[in-house]
């Protein structure tokens, strides 16, 4: 399927089902809407799935991995080989996302969207959960020119779309997005600055923990990248291709797939939200299908979420990525769904209503 | 055991184990402290339990119920019989707390600390999870005089203490507090105003949903109650006895029991935090053993938490009580513990560290 066809297939969430869901909420045995945000979450699930029995039992994560030419500007505290090493850790069930996804019984799949290392699923423990979909061996340095071609940008989005669509077709009812890629807060900040219209200073943060000089180098890299590339903020594909990266495009594809297939998607932190900004630039209806798992500690994340009109579920000072914030938020989303379906009504419970 | 003995048996959490836990956190395969609040939670668990293998698998809730003479001032939107009806709903597994506690595999026990209705556990479905510990059939009207005697206040605290201690002795590793009692935001606000030193206007909110006139009546009832009773804010027992209620005393007992037995306690919203203020007035060390599950929508809750120096884990606009916010927060606490124990170190994962 081409990108045009995907975008044409996305519609807004049906308000009628949200109304029906609100009516049921009003009958549950508690003061009116006393569980606050949980009601909004469950009603959004009902709207997305067009049902009063929302199902989110079968969960999965797609952790999108990519490498970034911009690391040569000294924008990360970690060396580039860590991207591949962390993928092995994901397959080995030893990373943050494995533990938090495991807590909600979500499967974790990893995608090589374009990392520098060569990994062979056949020889790796857990390799059946690794998809090799290399668009290229890392992006070009965004501060010197385009991170990738327009064709590569489209390919990265469609790859993410197809992988997510496959999971939905196999029965996954809710998808979480995750990321891995040394240096990827830099392209994310660049995309964030362009698509939200905020300044580089507002959008660039310390990522995995660079010092003051590193922060300055990141700001410079982003500033130069925007100047050199002159991305067109009206064109999500142009922004993605010029600023990168492949995993960010893959995440944009996941977000589009949720909206296209009418399944909820929980986005994680700064990098996932940069991918969401790209998807949103292509089709603003995607936010109807999204839950923002958390607000990251990374500078600029809240500004991105505000631009998208998304209210984060959690705010716990996390800044790991991998999908960890989305996984933890799935606990809350699951609680919201259970309240909606399992709580008795005033009538069923035989409890006297408001005077 | 008498209250004096309980208070003497409480010490601060051991900082040495928190330090040991911080060291382990620094070795886990992620940027330094990249999961933010989750690390603070797991390290507090280690400090409380004096271990690097915190265990919170066995969970329970004590939902404390009581009735309140102050309802005759027109402070609630619901009639008093709802307290007993909701207890039946808890035993029937149909209320919010049942569903959210069920999600984290926590048992729910209900305590009649002093409701007006007479319930017979022997004839009720689920009656084995109901403890009848009536201090009296509802408190007196706090706006006219003391809600209870000093002896009743002490009895309500010691009853909560003993029930929680019994659960800990049976192997419960983490306890959540909950409440049920029509009208109980009024005594909670009164206790909150006295013990935090904030004004009645700051502390009194709409509870389950009174209108403007109801809000005014609540403020008046609290104002009169403080004026008539002149509670001594240096004396937690005096404040509890004059402003009530029995379930609030029971919750204070649960909080003291966690600190005494060195087990973590997760407090819920406005009423649970009022109980915590009483416990804290008796022994300030109790906060070392506490997690504030969430920040309620109820006016004044954040001010109570600030007074206690507790940062809420969730902020989802909830205001149901019953323990629902604490139950949902247990997902996060469990995630924090799992990260601490199950995540690989850089060395175990074979991942290159920071440059």
């Amino acid at each position: 399927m081409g990108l045009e066809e995907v975008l044409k297939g996305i519609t807004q969430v049906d308000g009628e089902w949200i109304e029906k869901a609100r009516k049921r909420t009003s009958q549950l045995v508690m003061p009116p809407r006393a569980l606050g945000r949980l009601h909004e979450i469950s009603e959004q699930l009902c709207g997305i799935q067009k049902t009063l029995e929302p199902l989110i039992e079968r969960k999965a994560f797609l952790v999108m991995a990519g490498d970034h030419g911009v690391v040569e500007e000294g924008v990360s505290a970690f060396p580039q080989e860590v991207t591949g090493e962390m993928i092995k850790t994901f397959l080995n069930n030893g990373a943050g996302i494995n533990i938090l996804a495991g807590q909600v019984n979500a499967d974790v799949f990893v995608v090589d969207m374009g990392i520098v290392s060569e990994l062979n699923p056949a020889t790796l423990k857990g390799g059946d959960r690794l998809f090799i979909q290399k668009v290229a061996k890392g992006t070009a340095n965004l501060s010197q020119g385009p991170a990738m071609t327009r064709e590569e940008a489209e390919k990265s989005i469609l790859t993410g779309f197809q992988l997510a669509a496959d999971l939905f077709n196999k029965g996954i009812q809710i998808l979480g997005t995750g990321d891995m890629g040394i240096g990827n807060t830099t392209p994310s900040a660049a995309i964030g600055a362009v698509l939200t219209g905020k300044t580089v200073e507002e959008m660039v943060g310390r990522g995995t923990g660079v010092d003051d000089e590193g922060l300055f180098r990141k700001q410079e890299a982003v500033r130069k990248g925007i100047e050199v590339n002159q991305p067109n903020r009206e064109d999500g594909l142009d922004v993605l291709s010029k600023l990168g990266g492949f995993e960010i495009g893959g995440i944009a594809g996941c977000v589009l797939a949720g909206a296209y297939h009418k399944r909820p998607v929980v986005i994680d932190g700064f990098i996932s939200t940069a991918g969401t900004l790209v998807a949103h630039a292509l089709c603003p209806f995607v936010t109807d299908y999204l839950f923002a798992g958390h607000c990251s500690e990374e500078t600029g994340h809240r500004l991105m979420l505000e631009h998208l009109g998304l209210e984060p579920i959690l705010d716990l000072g996390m800044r790991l990525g991998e999908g960890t914030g989305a996984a933890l938020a799935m606990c809350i989303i699951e609680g919201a769904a259970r309240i909606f379906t399992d709580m008795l009504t005033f009538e069923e419970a035989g409890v006297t209503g408001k005077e």
Side-chain angles (χ1 to χ4, degrees), chain A:
Chain A
M1 200 183 305
L3 188 54
E4 276 306 310
E5 202 181 332
V6 167
L7 299 179
K8 269 187 204 153
I10 295 174
T11 55
Q12 283 185 275
V13 157
D14 191 341
E16 192 189 325
W17 281 97
I18 292 180
E19 270 315 304
K20 286 184 194 174
R22 285 179 68 93
K23 195 173 166 197
R24 172 163 167 86
T25 299
S26 72
Q27 296 162 346
L28 300 176
V29 63
M30 64 183 148
R33 303 187 76 72
L35 289 173
R37 185 74 192 278
L38 297 198
H39 304 309
E40 294 167 28
I41 292 170
S42 58
E43 290 154 9
Q44 188 181 343
L45 289 172
C46 290
I48 292 169
Q49 299 185 346
K50 297 193 182 197
T51 179
L52 291 182
E53 291 173 351
L55 279 177
I56 53 165
E57 208 171 311
R58 294 194 57 194
K59 309 176 188 77
F61 272 81
L62 277 170
V63 182
M64 299 290 184
D67 273 316
H68 299 272
V70 73
V71 294
E72 67 192 29
E73 304 293 321
V75 295
S76 178
F78 286 84
Q80 198 165 41
E81 65 255 36
V82 168
T83 304
E85 291 170 355
M86 282 305 300
I87 290 183
K88 289 184 202 165
T89 309
F90 298 148
L91 300 178
N92 207 15
N93 284 323
I97 182 58
N98 302 104
I99 288 144
L100 296 179
Q103 193 188 346
V104 292
N105 289 315
D107 295 325
V108 175
F109 300 98
V110 188
V111 188
D112 172 1
M113 290 293 301
I115 71 168
V116 167
S117 310
E118 295 284 356
L119 298 175
N120 182 356
T123 61
L124 286 171
K125 185 188 158 193
D128 55 318
R129 293 184 288 112
L130 171 62
F131 304 116
I132 305 292
Q133 296 280 352
K134 250 186 222 306
V135 180
K137 288 184 74 159
T139 56
N141 182 346
L142 72 94
S143 75
Q144 308 291 331
M148 63 182 89
T149 66
R150 191 172 175 93
E151 289 67 36
E152 286 172 333
E154 186 164 348
K155 188 177 175 190
S156 69
I157 292 174
L158 288 175
T159 299
F161 179 88
Q162 197 53 57
L163 289 166
D166 289 348
L167 289 176
F168 293 139
N169 289 330
K170 282 178 186 154
I172 291 300
Q173 293 157 331
I174 186 165
L175 178 72
T177 68
D179 73 285
M180 181 66 222
I182 293 303
N184 68 7
T185 55
T186 299
S188 298
I191 289 169
V194 170
L195 288 176
T196 68
K198 298 289 175 183
T199 65
V200 171
E201 288 71 25
E202 287 173 297
M203 206 46 76
V204 176
R206 290 178 190 273
T208 52
V210 292
D211 56 16
D212 286 352
E213 281 179 42
L215 181 64
F216 181 74
R217 287 193 299 269
K218 281 180 76 170
Q219 289 175 345
E220 271 302 292
V222 170
R223 211 174 278 120
K224 278 163 63 185
I226 294 172
E227 200 180 291
V228 167
N229 286 298
Q230 295 290 321
N232 172 11
R233 64 176 293 191
E234 305 299 318
D235 179 356
L237 212 51
D238 188 62
V239 176
L240 175 63
S241 66
K242 285 171 172 169
L243 303 174
F246 301 127
E247 81 276 45
I248 296 171
I251 289 164
C254 291
V255 167
L256 291 170
Y260 184 91
H261 288 281
K262 306 206 177 300
R263 301 284 168 95
V265 173
V266 189
I267 60 171
D268 188 38
F270 196 62
I271 288 86
S272 283
T273 310
T276 304
L277 286 171
V278 170
H280 176 260
L282 294 169
C283 175
F285 298 158
V286 295
T287 51
D288 281 9
Y289 299 86
L290 294 179
F291 294 96
H294 77 130
C295 186
S296 157
E297 192 71 357
E298 182 69 4
T299 311
H301 189 218
R302 185 170 291 279
L303 299 172
M304 288 178 172
L305 292 173
E306 281 171 7
H307 177 83
L308 292 164
L310 295 173
E311 181 70 33
I313 294 174
L314 301 174
D315 188 359
L316 294 167
M318 293 163 66
R319 52 180 178 81
L320 177 56
E322 302 178 0
T324 48
L328 211 50
M330 278 193 191
C331 293
I332 309 297
I333 297 169
E334 184 159 350
R338 286 175 185 236
I339 285 287
F340 187 84
T341 52
D342 298 349
M343 197 170 180
L344 295 181
T345 62
F346 275 98
E347 200 180 331
E348 288 164 346
V351 170
T352 312
K354 211 166 160 175
E355 273 176 338

